[in-house]
Amino acid sequence: MPIYEYNCRQCDHEFETLIMRQGEKIECPECGSAKVKRLMSGFAHKSDGKMVSEHSGCTSCSAGSCASCH
Ligand SMILES: [Zn+2]
């Protein structure tokens, strides 16, 4: 399943979400706004440190990313 990265135009919050099906309504988890913009290539620019799963030192991450737990 594809994971897309979004940026909220309302509060400028960035988040990732799993798209179960096309046309799904995306809302910002911070402010609940639907004014979100999909960013290109969700993983590419996060690969330099944050997304390293082998030795991230974080045990509370279940989403494969430390972006939400630090
Ligand atoms: Zn927002």
Side-chain angles (χ1 to χ4, degrees):
M1 285 176 283
I3 295 179
Y4 292 118
E5 189 166 345
Y6 288 85
N7 174 262
C8 176
R9 290 175 167 175
Q10 193 78 23
C11 68
D12 205 36
H13 176 67
E14 275 190 27
F15 61 98
E16 295 168 354
T17 190
L18 204 64
I19 305 299
M20 299 299 189
R21 58 196 176 94
Q22 292 293 324
E24 187 171 348
K25 187 179 178 185
I26 307 300
E27 289 182 348
C28 171
E30 287 292 313
C31 68
S33 170
K35 294 179 182 176
V36 296
K37 175 179 62 180
R38 191 163 86 190
L39 305 179
M40 301 302 285
S41 64
F43 291 108
H45 67 281
K46 276 191 174 180
S47 58
D48 53 1
K50 278 192 173 183
M51 285 289 293
V52 181
S53 55
E54 304 146 42
H55 54 87
S56 63
C58 180
T59 55
S60 59
C61 284
S62 57
S65 169
C66 281
S68 59
C69 74
H70 285 298

